Amino acid sequence: MKKESLHKNEQLSQYLAFNREISEEEKEMQAAVFAGMTEDIDVDFAFKKVMIRTRKKDKVKQLVQQLTKVAAILAIPLLIYSAWSIQKQLSKTEVKQEFAEQQFNSPVGMRSHVILPDGTKVWLNAESLLRYEVPFVQQNRKVYLEGEAFLDVASNTKSPFIVNAANTSIEVTGTRFNVKAYPEEEVVAVALQEGSVKFSAVDQANQSNTVEMKPGDHYEVEKNSKNLKAIPGNIDAQISWHKNILVLDDTPLEEVATLLERWYGVKVIITNDELKKYKFSTTFENEPLNRVLELLQLSSPAIKIIYKPGKMNKAEGEKNYSTVIISKNKELM
């Protein structure tokens, strides 16, 4: 009996050693085979065999022990396979959740309006990208922004809405605010119209800073910095774009050129560095490009604006960008 027990222990040790060497896929297949083998076990025969060994009344305790062993032998393969299946399924689910996300892109020359699953309204400015993980549920209202967006967040005091942009995060429960975080620009800017927000920034040393903003506040922070800076003045210039209103408030021509490129999908060339310092204060509401260029030139006679429409590139089958050339007015020189 001892020899048989030692032999079984040796077999078990060999099996465990072998099991450590095989791959996860082979382990899963092996467990599945064991589970299938249980269908071929004759339970009645096994029970009768146990009864023959325990006919005497004083061996009732041994009977219980033997039955427990039989039950364990039958249950272990099923338990192994079930555990493997659950673990495998969970790992697959985790992979799916890791890659499942929804994104919205507003290309150059266009502005988009999106309503998120929780009812939050988002206006995306030109050349902007918004993405979020799926499912977008009340416990996980988090979005990632590249570019500019105006958000009217659905109120939920139990579930904050978080916007991640560059090295910053903006946390709200229900409010209206604007976030500007274009990849090519050096700062992230937040302007608050209604409600309240917590604007946080983290620097390269992983040090953070947070400010609680009030309606009318406008804050900026340089990327990779935590130095949040309050910007005085009216915030209309920051938020009016989502109503198709372009507000210039003492805006340098270089910045105006960038706005025109995004809004109208054109390439703007300023031929003289001195012109880049010219500043403009005016408002355009749903104006076509030709009208905007005409009004800019009228407001500053020292500049001359030439518009060259884009031409079709037959080789690539695409149309080149139209070009706006801004130069000094030679007639006034």
Side-chain angles (χ1 to χ4, degrees):
M1 197 67 185
K2 289 183 179 180
K3 289 183 179 181
E4 183 180 352
S5 177
L6 289 171
H7 178 65
K8 287 182 179 179
N9 288 337
E10 185 180 350
Q11 285 184 322
L12 179 60
S13 298
Q14 291 175 351
Y15 171 75
L16 292 175
F18 167 75
N19 215 45
R20 282 194 292 268
E21 299 296 327
I22 63 177
S23 66
E24 293 296 324
E25 288 77 10
E26 290 171 325
K27 289 177 183 178
E28 183 177 0
M29 292 176 63
Q30 193 176 63
V33 170
F34 285 156
M37 286 172 59
T38 60
E39 297 177 358
D40 299 327
I41 295 175
D42 189 339
V43 179
D44 290 334
F45 176 77
F47 181 77
K48 289 177 182 177
K49 193 172 182 180
V50 171
M51 289 297 293
I52 292 172
R53 294 180 180 179
T54 56
R55 289 185 183 278
K56 295 182 180 180
K57 292 182 181 180
D58 59 347
K59 292 187 178 181
V60 172
K61 186 177 180 180
Q62 185 180 353
L63 170 62
V64 174
Q65 292 174 343
Q66 292 289 341
L67 288 174
T68 303
K69 289 180 181 179
V70 172
I73 291 170
L74 295 176
I76 286 174
L78 289 174
L79 181 60
I80 293 172
Y81 181 66
S82 298
W84 236 300
S85 298
I86 292 170
Q87 189 270 340
K88 206 74 174 178
Q89 193 63 37
L90 286 174
S91 64
K92 289 179 180 178
T93 302
E94 288 172 1
V95 171
K96 287 181 180 178
Q97 288 180 348
E98 182 180 349
F99 291 98
E101 70 173 25
Q102 178 69 54
Q103 69 176 31
F104 297 95
N105 181 37
S106 190
V108 175
M110 292 185 64
R111 286 163 293 285
S112 308
H113 183 209
V114 178
I115 299 178
L116 302 183
D118 70 332
T120 293
K121 299 175 183 177
V122 181
W123 287 261
L124 276 180
N125 206 344
E127 210 172 10
S128 299
L129 173 70
L130 182 82
R131 59 186 177 86
Y132 59 85
E133 294 180 357
V134 177
F136 186 82
V137 294
Q138 296 296 338
Q139 292 77 20
N140 184 30
R141 299 200 301 168
K142 185 183 294 184
V143 300
Y144 303 85
L145 174 69
E146 293 180 15
E148 186 170 19
F150 182 87
L151 300 97
D152 184 354
V153 177
S155 179
N156 187 333
T157 55
K158 295 181 180 179
S159 176
F161 188 103
I162 299 174
V163 180
N164 287 316
N167 63 307
T168 71
S169 67
I170 303 95
E171 181 179 328
V172 303
T173 54
T175 187
R176 292 167 60 87
F177 64 104
N178 193 80
V179 182
K180 187 179 182 183
Y182 281 100
E184 65 274 17
E185 296 185 357
E186 297 179 356
V187 301
V188 176
V190 177
L192 178 62
Q193 185 181 36
E194 294 179 7
S196 64
V197 307
K198 291 180 180 179
F199 184 24
S200 303
V202 180
D203 63 15
Q204 291 180 316
N206 206 31
Q207 299 293 316
S208 64
N209 188 21
T210 301
V211 62
E212 292 195 20
M213 295 175 59
K214 303 182 297 295
D217 282 352
H218 176 203
Y219 274 81
E220 290 184 355
V221 62
E222 292 184 2
K223 291 178 180 176
N224 298 319
S225 168
K226 66 181 180 70
N227 299 322
L228 299 163
K229 180 182 177 183
I231 307 298
N234 195 302
I235 66 170
D236 284 347
Q238 282 69 48
I239 68 174
S240 295
W241 66 265
H242 81 283
K243 297 179 180 179
N244 289 324
I245 300 174
L246 181 59
V247 178
L248 304 181
D249 183 13
D250 210 24
T251 307
L253 182 58
E254 188 173 22
E255 188 176 331
V256 173
T258 301
L259 291 172
L260 294 178
E261 287 181 338
R262 288 179 182 148
W263 273 60
Y264 297 102
V266 296
K267 182 175 178 59
V268 180
I269 300 173
I270 302 174
T271 61
N272 189 296
D273 287 342
E274 186 181 340
L275 294 176
K276 295 178 181 179
K277 300 176 183 178
Y278 281 40
K279 295 184 178 181
F280 295 84
S281 294
T282 186
T283 299
F284 302 107
E285 186 171 355
N286 291 319
E287 297 284 3
L289 178 61
N290 65 317
R291 180 61 176 164
V292 171
L293 298 179
E294 180 184 347
L295 292 173
L296 285 175
Q297 187 165 281
L298 286 173
S299 65
S300 183
I303 67 172
K304 184 177 181 180
I305 300 176
I306 298 175
Y307 172 76
K308 292 184 177 181
K311 295 182 180 180
M312 180 64 71
N313 187 326
K314 294 182 180 180
E316 298 181 3
E318 296 180 355
K319 186 177 180 180
N320 294 326
Y321 281 112
S322 297
T323 306
V324 175
I325 302 173
I326 304 176
S327 59
K328 280 189 173 182
N329 191 344
K330 294 180 179 180
E331 296 178 1
L332 298 179
M333 292 178 66

